[in-house]
Amino acid sequence: MDDLQKQNLEKVKKLVQSAKRVCILTGAGVSAESGIATFRGYSEETGESLWSKYDPQQLASIDGFLQDPEMVWQWYQWRREVNQDKQPNPAHIAIAQWQKRAKQSGQQDVTLVTQNVDGLHQKAGSDPKQYSVIGSLIELHGNIWQNHCLQCSKEHLEDVTGVQQVPKCQSCGGQIRPSVVWFGEVLDQNKWQAAETAAYCCDLFLSIGTSSQVYPAAGLMMLAKSQGAKIVEINPEPTQNSVVDYQIKGKAGEFFPQIVNN
Ligand code: OAD
């Protein structure tokens, strides 16, 4: 570890202790050490990223689904199969424990906004139930384990393990789709407002394992910065973010526990 990295780590540890309101934004990189593929770039743990092998317009857009629903459904079924045995890594666990400690002490608010749909933050103990309340987990891009009807939006809780044909909604006969946000779709407005509030009000913003290329999530960092928050980024690769105050160049599972478990 070079001197700058050591200095940054020490400064970030102090910020973590003194911050009153924290907003954490996570991306696919936080789950890389759990063995889940990222979307862009190369990951040491999982190799090539998803969008280097698959076309997001075909597999992650409403047009793609309407054109070939079976193919899209089966791709998500494959991803679910791949993800089902994956476990939270030390980064997910350290985030969840920090949120718990913060809630218990009442001294800090630690809100977690994730772009990930893998459910690993929940598995680690972060709580999505009250996403309009500061201090919880906001799954901005949805959750791959949930489904709803394309036509009537009804939530479908039935087990679809191994189902290879697009199931039909019992209420309206519409096609059932995974509850993830696709390119071109708007985010759930309650979740987005909660995420914006968390970023706007925080004094410390931690961006972990995201390439910051997908908006509006990537804009949260700028929003936090505009209100005077300190910005920390944990990522083994450099990103385009120019507003970062402290860059921790490394893996989330290795460095995040170090900065919060002093
Ligand atoms: P990306 O795949 O774009 O970026 C993953 C980032 O994680 C990269 O910057 C990697 O360098 C970094 N990374 C890799 N291994 C890491 C590790 N062990 N620790 C920390 N960082 C690591 O993923 P996202 O930024 O999450 O959208 O992508 C944003 C959105 O684009 C996703 O939510 C998804 C995708 O299309 C939807 O599905 C709507």
Side-chain angles (χ1 to χ4, degrees):
M1 198 191 308
D2 65 23
D3 282 351
L4 180 62
Q5 178 93 328
K6 271 189 204 151
Q7 279 172 21
N8 279 352
L9 265 179
E10 290 313 308
K11 283 179 185 154
V12 173
K13 281 181 190 175
K14 286 195 179 115
L15 286 174
V16 162
Q17 282 174 344
S18 63
K20 292 272 175 270
R21 289 198 169 134
V22 181
C23 179
I24 305 174
L25 174 68
T26 61
V30 83
S31 295
E33 289 153 86
S34 295
I36 296 180
T38 57
F39 293 97
R40 299 171 187 80
Y42 179 84
S43 153
E44 199 179 301
E45 288 79 14
T46 57
E48 276 183 311
S49 55
L50 288 174
W51 296 153
S52 65
K53 288 193 263 184
Y54 303 102
D55 179 358
Q57 282 314 317
Q58 265 183 347
L59 297 166
S61 77
I62 189 65
D63 288 347
F65 184 74
L66 292 175
Q67 216 166 27
D68 195 341
E70 301 298 335
M71 181 182 68
V72 175
W73 174 261
Q74 282 163 20
W75 190 68
Y76 281 92
Q77 289 295 71
W78 166 74
R79 276 181 64 195
R80 286 167 174 160
E81 220 175 288
V82 170
N83 288 3
Q84 71 181 352
D85 296 328
K86 302 292 188 260
Q87 296 303 324
N89 65 52
H92 298 105
I93 293 166
I95 292 171
Q97 288 176 344
W98 187 17
Q99 288 189 292
K100 210 174 184 176
R101 281 198 307 275
K103 220 168 239 174
Q104 279 166 356
S105 74
Q107 302 293 308
Q108 286 182 316
D109 290 324
V110 181
T111 302
L112 171 58
V113 182
T114 189
Q115 299 165 86
N116 297 347
V117 298
D118 57 33
L120 287 185
H121 283 303
Q122 281 193 56
K123 242 187 191 174
S126 292
D127 183 4
K129 288 191 197 82
Q130 306 163 326
Y131 59 71
S132 58
V133 177
I134 295 290
S136 67
L137 161 65
I138 301 162
E139 291 177 311
L140 213 48
H141 291 169
N143 188 307
I144 200 169
W145 303 106
Q146 294 164 5
N147 296 292
H148 68 272
C149 174
L150 181 66
Q151 201 161 285
C152 70
S153 301
K154 183 175 183 273
E155 197 181 358
H156 280 267
L157 301 171
E158 55 270 25
D159 183 11
V160 292
T161 313
V163 175
Q164 289 306 312
Q165 287 192 326
V166 183
K168 294 278 185 299
C169 175
Q170 280 154 356
S171 303
C172 75
Q175 289 171 312
I176 293 178
R177 56 162 284 181
S179 298
V180 299
V181 177
W182 284 330
F183 286 104
E185 293 187 313
V186 287
L187 303 181
D188 175 305
Q189 285 309 294
N190 288 334
K191 290 185 185 181
W192 176 243
Q193 272 172 20
E196 272 193 319
T197 305
Y200 189 86
C201 297
C202 73
D203 43 26
L204 177 60
F205 186 94
L206 293 147
S207 171
I208 309 174
T210 173
S211 60
S212 301
Q213 288 186 35
V214 174
Y215 285 81
L220 292 172
M221 179 187 279
M222 266 72 82
L223 180 61
K225 182 77 177 181
S226 73
Q227 297 306 304
K230 289 283 181 228
I231 313 289
V232 175
E233 182 170 77
I234 304 181
N235 198 314
E237 301 297 330
T239 66
Q240 302 295 316
N241 291 319
S242 56
V243 296
V244 174
D245 295 295
Y246 300 104
Q247 171 84 47
I248 309 282
K249 198 170 179 304
K251 294 183 184 181
E254 192 181 336
F255 286 98
F256 190 80
Q258 285 187 44
I259 64 170
V260 292
N261 297 331
N262 292 280

